[in-house]
Amino acid sequence: MEDQDRKSTVRAVERALDILLTFTGQTDLGLTEISSKIGLHKSTVHRLLSTLEERGFVIRNPATEKYRLGIRIWELAAHMSQSDDPAVLLLPAMEQLRDNLGETVSLYLRDGIERIRVQAVQSNQAIRRVAPVGVRLPLSVGASSKVLVAFAPLEEQEQLIRQFDPQIPFDKETYLAQLQEIKALGFATSYEEREPGAAAVSAPIFDRKGNVAAALSVSGPVSRLSQETLHEYGPVLVKAAAQMGLMLR
């Protein structure tokens, strides 16, 4: 009986965490949307949301009947160890890079077969690429995605490629050739690859063991970031990423 109770409690915790994770892509979600995203019956989701609301982890807007993350989430985030958090530790260096190049600078970490933007410093230019923090993107497209795959161990790289979303257009031969070129250059570029009108260049940040810990990216409109400009910025980004790697160590 105790084992059953324990399993039931663990399952409830897992489901509550799944609910909170649905807010990584959107700020406001209704009961039906959350239920659909995590594949649970609305009555179950409603019970869990009620508990999360009582504890301050979500807030319900009575006018729209939609939920958003509550103040408790931000309280927890505020107590993260800043010395261990690359998003906090590297922010001043990212701001300096933004000031030097004039474009939006982003920091990505790999999570499974996705990358997540954990920090961003927006360009000060009138026409700019806005990069919201917390966005998850596939590993099959984009400069930062290719960096995170290209510099991963070979076995891990092959496993990641096998798991790519089949719905996203993907040519394996071309992709593998790109990875080889990226390793040789030390950086990756993308030109309207994931998003029309946008271009980016990215370089790896390595940890003390020589493993890729994050991807540093500079992105902006193609009107300013031509193919030639991207390749000019590449070595600048490699140098900045190397300095950030030292900071993390």
Side-chain angles (χ1 to χ4, degrees):
M1 194 67 179
E2 285 183 11
D3 285 344
Q4 276 186 328
D5 290 342
R6 191 177 296 112
K7 285 179 183 176
S8 178
T9 301
V10 170
R11 189 160 58 247
V13 172
E14 289 174 344
R15 288 173 172 177
L17 291 173
D18 286 340
I19 287 173
L20 293 176
L21 289 171
T22 61
F23 291 95
T24 55
Q26 291 173 259
T27 54
D28 295 82
L29 290 166
L31 175 61
T32 303
E33 292 173 289
I34 297 170
S35 175
S36 174
K37 281 177 176 287
I38 64 175
L40 282 178
H41 196 277
K42 284 199 287 187
S43 60
T44 303
V45 174
H46 185 266
R47 284 198 304 272
L48 291 166
L49 280 169
S50 296
T51 301
L52 290 170
E53 188 180 5
E54 286 174 11
R55 296 300 183 100
F57 287 96
V58 297
I59 299 169
R60 184 176 64 87
N61 185 334
T64 62
E65 292 295 324
K66 291 200 170 189
Y67 295 84
R68 62 168 47 205
L69 293 176
I71 192 68
R72 289 288 181 192
I73 296 292
W74 310 118
E75 286 179 349
L76 289 174
H79 287 86
M80 286 179 65
S81 173
Q82 294 192 2
S83 61
D84 296 331
D85 184 0
V88 175
L89 185 64
L90 301 181
L91 182 58
M94 290 175 66
E95 289 173 336
Q96 184 178 356
L97 184 62
R98 184 271 314 276
D99 294 342
N100 289 344
L101 300 182
E103 302 294 351
T104 296
V105 178
S106 299
L107 183 70
Y108 293 93
L109 300 182
R110 182 168 71 80
D111 184 19
I113 56 168
E114 296 177 311
R115 59 177 160 118
I116 180 169
R117 187 183 292 121
V118 296
Q119 186 61 279
V121 181
Q122 311 298 340
S123 167
N124 291 323
Q125 307 225 35
I127 298 174
R128 60 186 177 185
R129 179 155 186 277
V130 177
V133 173
V135 168
R136 288 177 175 270
L137 300 166
L139 284 181
S140 53
V141 289
S144 296
S145 290
K146 289 182 287 188
V147 157
L148 291 170
V149 177
F151 292 94
L154 190 57
E155 276 185 28
E156 193 174 336
Q157 186 182 106
E158 291 170 352
Q159 188 178 1
L160 289 170
I161 293 171
R162 283 197 298 271
Q163 296 179 75
F164 281 172
D165 187 345
Q167 295 182 350
I168 298 174
F170 170 73
D171 182 80
K172 188 175 179 181
E173 245 179 76
T174 304
Y175 186 80
L176 289 173
Q178 287 179 336
L179 296 186
Q180 290 300 317
E181 184 182 5
I182 289 162
K183 290 199 78 171
L185 288 172
F187 63 88
T189 64
S190 64
Y191 194 83
E192 295 191 303
E193 188 173 298
R194 190 184 61 82
E195 192 179 322
V201 57
S202 179
I205 297 175
F206 296 105
D207 63 20
R208 61 168 61 87
K209 293 181 180 178
N211 300 318
V212 60
L216 178 68
S217 169
V218 167
S219 60
V222 294
S223 57
R224 288 197 302 268
L225 293 181
S226 65
Q227 297 278 16
E228 292 76 15
T229 303
L230 291 175
H231 279 81
E232 285 174 13
Y233 285 177
V236 177
L237 222 63
V238 169
K239 185 178 178 181
Q243 290 171 340
M244 291 183 190
L246 290 172
M247 291 170 68
L248 290 180
R249 292 169 211 157

